[in-house]
Amino acid sequence: MRRLAAEARVFARSTWLQYVALFQWATVRGYFAYKVLLPITQILFFVELGVYATGRQNALYFALGNALQLTANAGIFGVIATVANERQFGTLPLLLASPANRLVTFLSRAAVNVMDGIVTVVVGLGIAIVLFGLDLHHANLALLGVCVVVISVTTAGLGLMFGSIGLVMRDAIIIANVIYYVMLIICGINFPVSRLPVVLQIVSYSLPLTRGVEAARQAAAGASLGHVSGLLAGEVLVGVLWALGGYLVFRALEGWARHGGLQEAY
Amino acid sequence: MTSRAAIEARGLRKTYASNRGVFRREKVERAALRGVDLSIAGGELFGLLGPNGAGKTTMVKIFTTLLLPSSGTATVLGLDAVKDQWTLRRRIGFVFGGERGLYWRLSGLDNLRYFADLYRVPPDVAERRIKELLERLGLAGRERDRVELYSRGMKQRLHLARGLLNDPEVLFLDEPTIGLDPVGARELRVIVRELADAGKTIFLTTHYMFEADAICDRIAVIKSGEIVAEGTPSSIKKAVRDQGVVEFEAVGLPPDRLAGLRGLPGVSSVSVNERELAQLVTVQCTRPADVMTQLGVILDGVRLEKVSSREPTLEDAYVQLIGDESS
Amino acid sequence: MRSLARAALGSFRLAVRLRVVSPWSYLNWLVFPLLFAAVGLYVLGGRGATSSHLVYGVLGGGLIGYWSVAYIDAGNGIQDERWNGTLEQIFATPTPLVVILLGKVLAGLAFGLLSFLPTAALAYFGFHAVLPDLDPWPFVISLAVLTFSFFCIAITLAPLFALWRWAFSMLNGFELGVYVLCGFMFPVAVLASWAQGVAGALAPTWAVRALYASTLSGGPHDYALWWGAVAGLSLAYLVGAYFLYALVEREARVSGELALA
């Protein structure tokens, strides 16, 4: 019990430090540019594109999809950036040489980005509702909230996998950028997954976000938890598998990097 | 050597202003140069010595038109470094050295060709000169390799080649041997001396006293933005002729005893060098014999070893000019 | 004069070489335009899509890539040198900074134009989308006019980004907003009237309008008006750039911060 409490303390402190370090670089202007302006303009662009292509009645479809995808920004990009920053600032060797519980350290990296993701999607969706006059009267808001939280966690799981790869790869941020935009295409954000070639559909369902977005769309249409529980369970499973894979890669690469001194390389 | 000053500074001052704080921004000023007067004749190899932050690089940047002084004048070859920058840049070269300042993804040859274009050297002249410089600086055969594969010494020589592309009349070298191994550094010093012997005016900054002593015709010592000594190496050594040096090793020397030592008559500076098991204390003074007699009294109870006295070197002169140091 | 032209050409060649060996540059002119083109083609090519919709899918990705390269690669011309540690070295040469940037920006734009190739290929082979009503001469001239507007913007952004770092962050954050206002993937006419007013102050908006008009048989074809608007606005940016360059030169020599990344 005492051991658990100690680990929890480490987790909390580590998460707080991650939060402080994450926004150390961010000035007020930087935060505004990347956390306010970027989400708004992404939603704006895709809603206008979607409305032009398919009609004003579909505005909510595009707004919701893109707002949810924004949480992936924090989950994927944020986690990879956190690990990449550690590599760049040279604190990675220090971490790897420390006796800290690996799992706790590993997960604390994601925790702050999950919270960041939730905030981003709430702000983004709020703005879209105001700008486009979207009607959420029929929505199951509580369930929608659950979907948002689930997606934030599962996309962070994906981020943890690629963050681990960032231990040995110099330009992991490039991967983050590419994945982010690939998910715009294949995760059902702007058009149904069924329109993709079969191969890409398989890839789509093996990624987080896809099932979560479907569940969220149903919640926005008023569905109950029972209707979407299968989707949410699948989303959680996929997220956990990616996080677990990321953790295993983290431990494996840590051992390999120690042999080769690779974490010193830049 | 020609008689007209090739490089001249009159009352040169530079103050940097910066902002501190996030919410309440306060302006902070730092004086890097506080009224410097210098005159360097054509064909001289002049060395500017000083510790980090003394103002050496600031001075070089003003002369090379990269920086505007806050007041005073800086002229090179009779041209104003503030107003005549476009004409002046064609006739001078500079080398800041270090790892940066080159396109590391490209070859040495590509780097040199590009800078030859920027220095507006005609293409046929550029090709010939690049070939000669590569030979002379020991880079021939490696010019097509990417700069990121060069050793530190090779990068420094490439910097020097870049600085000589326009065959400048005046060359500014800012700490050119820093970070080089002893062999590489010596090779570079030989090349620099050869350039001076060929008639170029060279302005060199360094914090290695032996380097200045080895190759410079004249030296100035700068401390906190002011020139504290100027002359030939031997004239500067003469200035500390009446000084002697007492050196000893002490184990566990308390700071208050040091104060007592500093207070002795004739003692001009005391520096302490922390070694692994003991401290090396160097006392500059006018009467070494008196100081040696007093050592036992002032440092009673402290274990002393290897007590000796000697004539001052140029390094001691430098230390005395710069002031007390504990390292 | 000849030596200045040689310097600009040298700068152009160096910038091309650096782009060829740098993995990042491929992201901007190849990968991201393809990804955006794919999304655009899927959305625009859905049920009930018309050929006028698809035209935006064919060209939209290329325009997005072209703009990204123009403002990220070319616009960061001065900042690039600072990050590389070579800004002091090039600043202190007898070649004015703006001449060096001329070569860099042209190199950037040359790569940006390449964005049209993979995106058009994706449109044709992946979605069987073409430009059936293409009018070649107005299309080529509109593309040239667009290039001129991007050139003027990049030349103006370079000193802006060097003086005020936050300006780059802001433009980066607003990137998709530029796609909206300039009508890269859908016509500006669908926006609210106040937004259309803002869009009209941007030179590329008119060039893009002319470009799309040259691929569509219906609608207005006021090429002279649109090209004139681009030229006028772009020249206004250049006037601003003149003052910005003088400011950069002065600021750099006062603060001595050229070496700081």
Side-chain angles (χ1 to χ4, degrees):
Chain A
M1 196 64 207
R2 209 175 293 161
R3 166 103 190 261
L4 207 61
E7 299 291 7
R9 263 203 307 279
V10 171
F11 178 83
R13 197 173 334 134
S14 184
T15 302
W16 170 247
L17 286 172
Q18 292 294 326
Y19 176 79
V20 171
L22 184 71
F23 293 111
Q24 211 51 244
W25 60 269
T27 59
V28 170
R29 285 170 179 150
Y31 190 84
F32 176 76
Y34 294 111
K35 287 295 180 193
V36 178
L37 212 53
L38 186 60
I40 295 173
T41 52
Q42 180 177 326
I43 292 176
L44 193 73
F45 174 77
F46 284 106
V47 170
E48 292 285 6
L49 176 68
V51 160
Y52 172 66
T54 67
R56 194 141 281 276
Q57 68 279 9
N58 294 319
L60 178 60
Y61 179 90
F62 292 95
L64 187 59
N66 282 280
L68 290 166
Q69 202 261 353
L70 288 173
T71 189
N73 187 350
I76 297 165
F77 195 79
V79 174
I80 295 179
T82 305
V83 176
N85 279 346
E86 282 195 356
R87 192 187 159 80
Q88 189 180 345
F89 292 123
T91 49
L92 205 48
L94 297 171
L95 167 71
L96 294 178
S98 79
N101 182 315
R102 287 291 177 268
L103 188 62
V104 168
T105 324
F106 186 70
L107 291 176
S108 70
R109 247 149 215 73
V112 70
N113 290 296
V114 167
M115 292 185 278
D116 187 37
I118 294 168
V119 168
T120 310
V121 76
V122 167
V123 168
L125 201 52
I127 288 167
I129 289 167
V130 167
L131 273 180
F132 296 101
L134 302 176
D135 182 17
L136 282 174
H137 279 117
H138 303 293
N140 183 341
L141 288 176
L143 183 59
L144 188 58
V146 168
C147 293
V148 169
V149 173
V150 167
I151 291 171
S152 296
V153 173
T154 56
T155 49
L158 182 66
L160 285 169
M161 166 61 103
F162 289 98
S164 298
I165 294 174
L167 278 180
V168 293
M169 225 186 114
R170 193 204 299 200
D171 297 312
I173 291 277
I174 298 183
I175 301 181
N177 268 284
V178 175
I179 287 167
Y180 179 69
Y181 286 106
V182 165
M183 290 177 96
L184 263 181
I185 302 173
I186 69 173
C187 289
I189 306 297
N190 292 297
F191 54 90
V193 174
S194 55
R195 287 185 59 199
L196 291 167
V198 170
V199 169
L200 285 181
Q201 288 188 41
I202 295 170
V203 174
S204 170
Y205 283 107
S206 62
L207 288 172
L209 194 62
T210 309
R211 291 178 181 81
V213 168
E214 272 187 48
R217 287 200 204 284
Q218 291 191 33
S224 66
L225 180 59
H227 282 118
V228 304
S229 54
L231 284 169
L232 284 178
E235 177 74 20
V236 168
L237 180 64
V238 166
V240 165
L241 285 174
W242 278 102
L244 185 64
Y247 181 65
L248 292 172
V249 169
F250 178 67
R251 295 307 302 267
L253 285 177
E254 182 192 357
W256 182 52
R258 258 219 197 92
H259 280 298
L262 252 165
Q263 70 265 29
E264 301 285 1
Y266 178 62
Chain B
M1 290 189 194
T2 62
S3 55
R4 189 188 74 166
I7 303 170
E8 203 166 5
R10 290 271 159 261
L12 199 60
R13 285 180 193 277
K14 177 65 186 176
T15 306
Y16 293 107
S18 62
N19 288 315
R20 201 157 54 183
V22 177
F23 294 112
R24 263 208 312 270
R25 312 274 278 177
E26 72 180 84
K27 205 169 169 195
V28 174
E29 285 190 348
R30 183 178 71 83
L33 293 176
R34 300 166 199 263
V36 167
D37 293 316
L38 267 183
S39 183
I40 295 149
E44 254 194 302
L45 203 177
F46 185 87
L48 184 65
L49 272 138
N52 294 330
K56 305 191 295 295
T57 302
T58 299
M59 207 184 306
V60 170
K61 287 192 179 180
I62 290 175
F63 284 131
T64 52
T65 76
L66 277 168
L67 202 55
L68 293 176
S70 304
S71 65
T73 59
T75 52
V76 180
L77 299 169
L79 296 164
D80 186 346
V82 171
K83 293 200 210 67
D84 302 323
Q85 73 264 42
W86 298 112
T87 322
L88 187 53
R89 286 172 183 176
R90 293 188 137 195
R91 297 170 65 182
I92 63 172
F94 68 91
V95 177
F96 290 157
E99 291 288 329
R100 287 151 63 80
L102 295 165
Y103 297 95
W104 48 276
R105 279 202 226 262
L106 302 182
S107 69
L109 186 60
D110 282 337
N111 271 270
L112 291 177
R113 279 185 176 146
Y114 177 56
F115 279 104
D117 284 336
L118 294 189
Y119 274 96
R120 296 160 77 174
V121 180
D124 49 340
V125 173
E127 283 304 303
R128 186 178 33 83
R129 203 172 280 159
I130 287 172
K131 200 163 165 226
E132 281 165 9
L133 286 168
L134 289 170
E135 283 288 343
R136 186 164 182 199
L137 297 172
L139 292 169
R142 295 295 306 273
E143 67 271 20
R144 291 188 191 274
D145 293 342
R146 288 196 313 276
V147 170
E148 64 185 336
L149 299 173
Y150 284 12
S151 68
R152 185 69 199 267
M154 285 172 68
K155 281 180 192 159
Q156 202 68 350
R157 280 179 272 145
L158 187 65
H159 275 301
L160 188 56
R162 186 194 48 74
L164 292 168
L165 281 170
N166 58 329
D167 193 21
E169 295 161 63
V170 179
L171 188 63
F172 293 89
L173 303 170
D174 192 20
E175 306 212 10
T177 59
I178 201 163
L180 293 184
D181 64 274
V183 173
R186 191 167 41 171
E187 279 169 4
L188 204 74
R189 280 194 288 273
V190 167
I191 294 168
V192 170
R193 187 64 246 178
E194 281 171 5
L195 289 168
D197 292 339
K200 293 198 189 303
T201 307
I202 301 190
F203 185 102
L204 166 88
T205 74
T206 180
H207 61 248
Y208 299 132
M209 193 50 159
F210 69 89
E211 181 166 89
D213 196 12
I215 59 173
C216 294
D217 298 321
R218 277 199 316 133
I219 298 170
V221 180
I222 185 169
K223 177 187 168 185
S224 301
E226 287 173 316
I227 303 288
V228 296
E230 191 183 334
T232 60
S234 45
S235 71
I236 290 182
K237 272 186 241 184
K238 275 203 193 96
V240 295
R241 186 182 40 196
D242 297 330
Q243 299 290 317
V245 177
V246 173
E247 265 181 354
F248 58 89
E249 279 184 14
V251 182
L253 183 63
D256 56 317
R257 304 296 188 101
L258 266 181
L261 202 55
R262 284 196 178 101
L264 282 179
V267 168
S268 55
S269 79
V270 177
S271 55
V272 180
N273 207 319
E274 297 285 347
R275 301 269 168 89
E276 259 181 40
L277 297 169
Q279 294 141 304
L280 176 67
V281 182
T282 307
V283 183
Q284 312 234 342
C285 51
T286 47
R287 292 193 288 272
D290 289 349
V291 168
M292 282 178 76
T293 319
Q294 293 289 320
L295 274 182
V297 172
I298 290 176
L299 300 178
D300 180 38
V302 178
R303 201 173 106 201
L304 301 178
E305 281 170 19
K306 297 183 191 168
V307 183
S308 63
S309 76
R310 57 174 174 77
E311 293 293 312
T313 62
L314 200 53
E315 190 101 27
D316 298 315
Y318 174 66
V319 168
Q320 194 198 339
L321 288 163
I322 296 304
D324 274 303
E325 264 177 51
S326 290
S327 57
Chain C
M1 200 62 202
R2 249 196 316 206
S3 61
L4 281 178
R6 247 197 332 266
L9 184 63
S11 175
F12 176 86
R13 276 200 298 255
L14 187 98
V16 168
R17 271 212 191 88
L18 285 174
R19 275 194 175 73
V20 168
V21 298
S22 160
W24 276 104
S25 79
Y26 292 89
L27 278 179
N28 281 335
W29 73 263
L30 178 62
V31 177
F32 291 133
L34 269 177
L35 295 174
F36 267 95
V39 180
L41 285 161
Y42 268 113
V43 174
L44 292 161
R47 234 197 327 255
T50 65
S51 60
S52 60
H53 282 145
L54 281 172
V55 148
Y56 283 93
V58 174
L59 293 177
L63 283 167
I64 284 170
Y66 199 12
W67 163 250
S68 294
V69 171
Y71 98 86
I72 293 176
D73 284 358
N76 265 321
I78 296 179
Q79 279 303 100
D80 242 352
E81 299 285 345
R82 183 181 255 146
W83 292 324
N84 196 54
T86 42
L87 186 55
E88 276 186 328
Q89 274 73 7
I90 65 168
F91 188 81
T93 65
T95 301
L97 199 58
V98 69
V99 171
I100 298 171
L101 279 173
L102 194 82
K104 284 168 73 85
V105 167
L106 287 174
L109 293 178
F111 269 81
L113 269 175
L114 290 175
S115 302
F116 285 104
L117 296 174
T119 51
L122 176 70
Y124 182 70
F125 293 108
F127 297 83
H128 308 294
V130 292
L131 302 171
D133 299 320
L134 176 69
D135 195 350
W137 278 114
F139 181 85
V140 167
I141 297 172
S142 298
L143 196 56
V145 168
L146 178 69
T147 301
F148 178 68
S149 73
F150 281 174
F151 171 80
C152 295
I153 288 174
I155 284 280
T156 309
L157 287 177
L160 196 76
F161 289 164
L163 283 166
W164 300 298
R165 197 72 207 110
W166 57 262
F168 177 71
S169 304
M170 286 298 162
L171 197 52
N172 227 11
F174 193 66
E175 181 166 359
L176 277 82
V178 172
Y179 305 169
V180 171
L181 291 175
C182 292
F184 287 163
M185 237 180 207
F186 48 83
V188 169
V190 307
L191 300 175
S193 46
W194 66 266
Q196 290 187 47
V198 174
L202 302 172
T205 306
W206 301 99
V208 170
R209 191 168 180 192
L211 194 73
Y212 276 118
S214 69
T215 64
L216 296 163
S217 51
H221 289 82
D222 300 321
Y223 294 120
L225 174 69
W226 297 333
W227 294 337
V230 176
L233 286 166
S234 302
L235 288 171
Y237 301 154
L238 286 183
V239 169
Y242 174 80
F243 291 105
L244 285 172
Y245 277 102
L247 194 56
V248 165
E249 289 253 351
R250 182 115 198 127
E251 271 303 305
R253 295 179 81 197
V254 166
S255 70
E257 281 176 0
L258 285 172
L260 300 176

